[in-house]
């Protein structure tokens, strides 16, 4: 293997990356992979050990003679605090530095009450969950909120359901109690990240996640990374119009957005217009499970309209898998058959050749997993590790 030129000498952050991925787990490996001299490797390893980011594993295989000391990423060298907020429920957790849940709880919260009420409640819950681990340093915070988020600024924008959140910069509020790196994203984006990391990573790194619930939203994973767009508004699939929607006014002011004709809200409205007594999405799901023909037909019509928009997205993005999640995805059969029918008719042959359309496998925990990875990807990146002030 050619040695790297001196200009590309690996930093401590890059060495950590090699250890985390298992690419190089002994000092000799690191020297071989990076071309660093023995003293240079030793300097970087010592720094990572001092900072508690790695530990030495003496449990090496004993085959006579002294095995080289293995270096292991220290997943318990700190914790991240995460919360995935929905309209009426929040999943709140403490995770280790590998993204595994150490403690989780869910909470009934009305996000409409606004950040002044909701954020202190979330932070109190983190404190409760942290109760048993006061010694684990908090390394970062991640939140998913049901609003469009200007990612770099951590600021909510044109809130999807809650006006009281419009234009709120969340990180400064959290930083008063947890002065660590804080990341905020749209709820569907964090669910897409969670679904990808936990189920599809390395196997399907181009994934379109569509949440069909009270509203329709999507998260796009392209080449293994979430696609946020210039400011964070990518994935707003709900406000793409469909043909022949019937002239329904969407809450965004346009006509026949797929959200206004195919969301759970729209399906309930259509069923009620036919004189059916359905109050909640659960009622609708029960009717589908019971094989009610009229409900199945309304769901399938909604799915065909959703399919039109998904077909365009498939042409544009060529995902390996489209994952349907959210409450309406509980009616997976009529939903997926409607979507599949239109996608295979309307998308290009190459984009659908190996396309899978699947149901979300992670359920309510997806947002938590996604939030944890969103934070860890940032705080453990070589750039972030190298920017950390050297302690004496
Ligand atoms: Zn709209």
């Amino acid at each position: 293997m050619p040695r790297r030129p001196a200009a590309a000498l690996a930093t401590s952050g890059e060495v950590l990356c090699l250890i985390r991925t298992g690419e190089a787990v002994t000092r000799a490996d690191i020297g071989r992979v990076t071309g660093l001299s023995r003293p240079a490797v030793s300097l970087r390893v010592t720094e990572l050990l001092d900072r508690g980011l790695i530990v030495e594993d003496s449990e090496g295989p004993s085959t006579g003679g002294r095995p080289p000391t293995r270096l292991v990423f220290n997943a318990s060298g700190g914790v991240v605090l995460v919360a995935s907020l929905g309209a009426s429920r929040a999943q709140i957790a403490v995770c280790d530095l590998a993204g595994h849940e150490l403690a989780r709880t869910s909470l009934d919260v009305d996000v409409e009450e606004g950040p002044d009420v909701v954020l202190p409640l979330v932070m109190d819950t983190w404190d409760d969950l942290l109760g048993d681990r006061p010694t684990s340093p908090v390394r970062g915070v991640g939140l998913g909120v049901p609003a469009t988020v200007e990612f770099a600024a951590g600021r909510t924008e044109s809130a999807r359901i809650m006006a009281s959140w419009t234009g709120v910069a969340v990180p400064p509020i959290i930083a008063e109690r947890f002065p660590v790196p804080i990341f905020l994203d749209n709820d569907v984006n964090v669910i897409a990240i969670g679904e990808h990391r936990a189920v599809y990573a390395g196997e399907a790194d181009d994934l379109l996640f569509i949440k069909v619930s009270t509203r329709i939203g999507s998260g796009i994973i392209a080449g293994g990374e979430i696609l946020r767009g210039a400011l964070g508004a990518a994935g707003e699939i709900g406000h793409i119009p469909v043909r022949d929607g019937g002239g329904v006014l969407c809450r965004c002011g346009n006509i026949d957005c797929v959200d206004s004709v195919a969301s759970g809200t729209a399906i309930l409205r259509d069923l009620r217009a036919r004189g059916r007594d359905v109050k909640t999405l659960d009622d609708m799901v029960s009717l589908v499970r019971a094989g009610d023909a009229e409900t199945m037909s309304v769901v399938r019509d909604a799915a065909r309209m959703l399919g039109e928009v998904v077909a365009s997205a498939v042409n544009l993005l060529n995902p390996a898998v489209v994952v349907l999640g959210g409450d309406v995805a509980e009616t997976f059969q009529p939903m997926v058959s409607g979507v599949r029918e239109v996608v295979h008719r309307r998308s290009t042959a190459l984009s659908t050749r190996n396309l899978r359309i699947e149901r979300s496998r992670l359920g309510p925990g997806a947002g938590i997993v996604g939030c944890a990875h969103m934070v860890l990807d940032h705080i453990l990146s070589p750039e972030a590790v190298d920017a950390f002030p050297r302690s004496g």
Side-chain angles (χ1 to χ4, degrees):
M1 180 195 267
R3 295 205 147 202
R4 294 188 188 191
L9 283 184
T11 63
S12 301
E14 286 162 344
V15 169
L16 177 66
C17 205
L18 293 173
I19 296 169
R20 276 180 77 207
T21 56
E23 234 179 296
V25 295
T26 64
R27 287 171 173 82
D29 281 350
I30 294 167
R32 191 173 39 75
V33 172
T34 60
L36 288 173
S37 67
R38 276 175 64 166
V41 169
S42 179
L43 197 70
R44 285 158 180 72
V45 166
T46 304
E47 188 205 328
L48 294 172
L49 284 167
D50 287 348
R51 287 171 58 186
L53 289 167
I54 58 171
V55 287
E56 290 185 316
D57 178 12
S58 49
E59 309 272 301
S62 73
T63 51
R66 194 161 144 258
T69 310
R70 282 173 54 89
L71 302 166
V72 187
F73 173 62
N74 183 18
S76 46
V79 295
V80 292
L81 309 178
V82 292
S84 173
L85 306 184
S88 58
R89 222 166 162 66
Q91 303 283 336
I92 302 173
V94 175
C95 296
D96 70 13
L97 298 186
H100 297 131
E101 263 179 39
L102 299 172
R104 167 151 69 120
T105 187
S106 68
L107 211 63
D108 288 319
V109 286
D110 180 1
V111 279
E112 298 277 5
E113 294 205 61
D116 296 346
V117 174
V118 174
L119 292 177
L121 202 61
V122 169
M123 290 191 279
D124 288 347
T125 309
W126 282 329
D127 270 332
D128 290 345
L129 293 175
L130 275 173
D132 312 347
R133 334 185 152 68
T135 53
S136 301
V138 175
R139 306 273 194 178
V141 168
L143 281 140
V145 295
T148 304
V149 172
E150 189 183 336
F151 185 75
R155 185 169 48 226
T156 54
E157 181 84 17
S158 65
R160 207 184 301 152
I161 32 180
M162 58 268 193
S164 54
W165 286 72
T166 301
V168 177
V170 172
I173 304 172
I174 306 271
E176 279 181 25
R177 272 168 71 177
F178 298 101
V180 292
I182 295 158
F183 302 92
L184 181 76
D185 204 347
N186 164 268
D187 58 341
V188 187
N189 278 356
V190 297
I191 293 171
I193 295 172
E195 191 83 26
H196 170 251
R197 290 301 180 86
V199 183
Y200 297 99
E203 178 213 338
D205 288 330
D206 295 278
L207 175 154
L208 174 63
F209 180 87
I210 299 174
K211 183 181 178 191
V212 190
S213 194
T214 316
R215 301 283 178 221
I216 293 177
S218 79
I220 302 158
I221 305 286
E225 304 284 334
I226 188 85
L227 190 91
R228 293 196 174 91
L231 291 178
E236 279 290 354
I237 204 170
H239 297 285
I240 297 177
V242 298
R243 293 179 312 166
D244 310 326
V248 180
L249 178 65
C250 180
R251 70 210 151 77
C252 76
N254 289 325
I255 302 289
D256 290 343
C257 291
V258 71
D259 187 275
S260 67
V261 296
S263 62
T265 311
I267 292 170
L268 288 180
R269 181 194 61 216
D270 291 352
L271 283 170
R272 287 182 197 131
R274 291 165 181 239
R276 303 301 297 264
D277 178 28
V278 283
K279 291 186 180 65
T280 64
L281 291 180
D282 282 347
D283 294 345
M284 184 270 292
V285 169
S286 306
L287 283 168
V288 169
R289 292 222 170 103
D292 180 82
E294 189 172 38
T295 308
M296 303 265 266
S297 138
V298 169
V299 170
R300 206 171 289 119
D301 285 347
R304 284 195 194 102
M305 286 190 275
L306 176 61
E308 247 187 73
V309 174
V310 174
S312 302
V314 164
N315 278 348
L316 199 62
L317 301 166
N318 184 21
V321 57
V322 173
V323 181
L324 294 174
D327 299 315
V328 178
E330 292 298 313
T331 66
F332 188 69
Q333 268 328 315
M335 178 56 73
V336 81
S337 57
V339 168
R340 193 174 276 153
E341 178 193 320
V342 180
V343 168
H344 282 272
R345 200 173 62 228
R346 300 276 300 272
S347 297
T348 61
L350 184 57
S351 70
T352 53
R353 186 179 297 163
N354 296 319
L355 178 69
R356 290 143 64 192
I357 300 180
E358 303 200 350
R359 172 191 186 148
S360 163
R361 281 191 244 166
L362 229 48
I368 288 298
V369 177
C371 281
H373 284 289
M374 168 174 69
V375 179
L376 294 170
D377 284 353
H378 282 90
I379 65 172
L380 296 175
S381 70
E383 299 74 30
V385 169
D386 292 331
F388 193 84
R390 303 279 189 278
S391 51

